[in-house]
Amino acid sequence: MSEQDKKEEKGISSTAQLANTPFIDIDAYAPKMMANRVGQVGISKANMSFLTTLALSILAGVFIALGAQLMMMVTHTATSSFGLNALVGGVTFTMALVLIVITGAELFTGNCIIAMSFFAGKIRCGDLTRNLVIAFIGNFIGALSIVFWIYISAQWTANNHLLGAKIVIAANDKVHLTFGVAFARGVLCNVLVCLGIWLCYSARNNLDKVLSLLWPISCLIACGFEHCVVNMWLIPMGIILKGNRFVMEAVERVNGGPLDITNLTIGKGFIVDNLIPVVLGNLFGGIILVAGVYWFVFLRTAKK
């Protein structure tokens, strides 16, 4: 065999080996594939049993409350709630969404993105509504359970009750928002939450998911947007702590005088003035502005 024949045979052998080598795709999923993945997840969530959905929703409420508590802890000594202090709070709060996404918990706000499955005709309106209602109830139960445990733990007494004062002041600010402001902040909040969840569908591994969540979630906290599940923990916690004399003395030190807490109540302050407009805003932002837009772009079937 000539030298030229040997080279050609070697080249053919190398090509055959290369063809038989499995191709490993490590790039992030493209947006079209992300949309298809969301559609399949929507079907999976629609078929999940009531008890499973409720249990996972309770866990999500617990995780959000723990993230909010951590956020309060790391920022309670700051002299300002804006700028870098707010960013630090947002970065630490991201822990909550990391726990939810990686453990598969059911978050009311994040689940709004599965409306893409409904718009695409993969699930019924009743399936979407059922999931969101169960998630809302479970999140509420989980968040209120952490109100109980944080109160029993007496962590709010930290730093001469300044942590408790921070919680009361933050809760009080939320019950004094107008309907329009609370609604708009709810819209912006869930746009960012659902964008964070949307980015996670491009991920190949858990580190990708953590990094995908970091900036959208940090943004919503740093900008002071309204997340209904956070408020399910924060405002009830503030309502309980406002009855503690030492906490209110700390509030006066921080506030530079007495704080008007007359609207920090369960009925009008929490439910009417905050929770209702924030929930409506969260639903609009997640279902219409994120799920609806990405359905229109990637899953809509064009008319022939």
Side-chain angles (χ1 to χ4, degrees), residues 168 171-173 175-176 235 238-239 242-243 248 251 258-270 273:
V168 170
N172 195 59
D173 288 342
V175 299
H176 283 91
I235 298 178
I239 291 171
K242 75 173 186 177
M248 294 312 296
V251 167
L259 182 70
D260 180 13
I261 56 172
T262 54
N263 201 40
L264 189 54
T265 60
I266 289 291
K268 184 178 184 302
F270 176 37
D273 291 342

Side-chain angles (χ1 to χ4, degrees), residues 13-26:
S13 177
S14 298
T15 303
Q17 287 180 346
L18 189 61
N20 292 328
T21 302
F23 175 71
I24 301 176
D25 185 6
I26 60 173

Side-chain angles (χ1 to χ4, degrees), residues 191-255:
V191 164
L192 288 165
V193 170
C194 288
L195 283 175
I197 300 296
W198 167 253
L199 292 177
C200 286
Y201 285 101
S202 73
R204 291 279 183 175
N205 54 57
N206 285 340
L207 180 58
D208 291 349
K209 294 177 182 179
V210 171
L211 295 176
S212 295
L213 290 167
L214 179 60
W215 293 115
I217 305 306
S218 295
C219 176
L220 79 88
I221 295 296
C223 292
F225 299 145
E226 293 291 309
H227 191 283
C228 65
V229 185
V230 170
N231 295 351
M232 290 173 185
W233 172 79
L234 181 60
I235 298 178
M237 195 76 213
I239 291 171
I240 291 175
L241 294 182
K242 75 173 186 177
N244 183 278
R245 177 170 61 88
F246 300 108
V247 169
M248 294 312 296
E249 288 175 356
V251 167
E252 290 192 19
R253 293 197 302 271
V254 173
N255 194 53

Side-chain angles (χ1 to χ4, degrees), residues 33-110:
M33 181 61 71
M34 291 160 62
N36 289 329
R37 295 180 75 193
V38 174
Q40 295 304 312
V41 168
I43 297 172
S44 176
K45 288 180 182 290
N47 292 328
M48 197 180 297
S49 71
F50 170 82
L51 289 179
T52 300
T53 305
L54 181 65
L56 290 173
S57 301
I58 292 172
L59 288 175
V62 167
F63 297 153
I64 288 290
L66 289 174
Q69 171 66 20
L70 176 62
M71 174 183 64
M72 291 287 114
M73 171 59 79
V74 300
T75 60
H76 81 277
T77 58
T79 56
S80 170
S81 296
F82 301 99
L84 290 178
N85 297 322
L87 179 60
V88 169
V91 170
T92 56
F93 176 76
T94 303
M95 176 199 77
L97 272 294
V98 170
L99 288 172
I100 288 168
V101 168
I102 295 179
T103 65
E106 296 286 304
L107 180 65
F108 168 74
T109 49

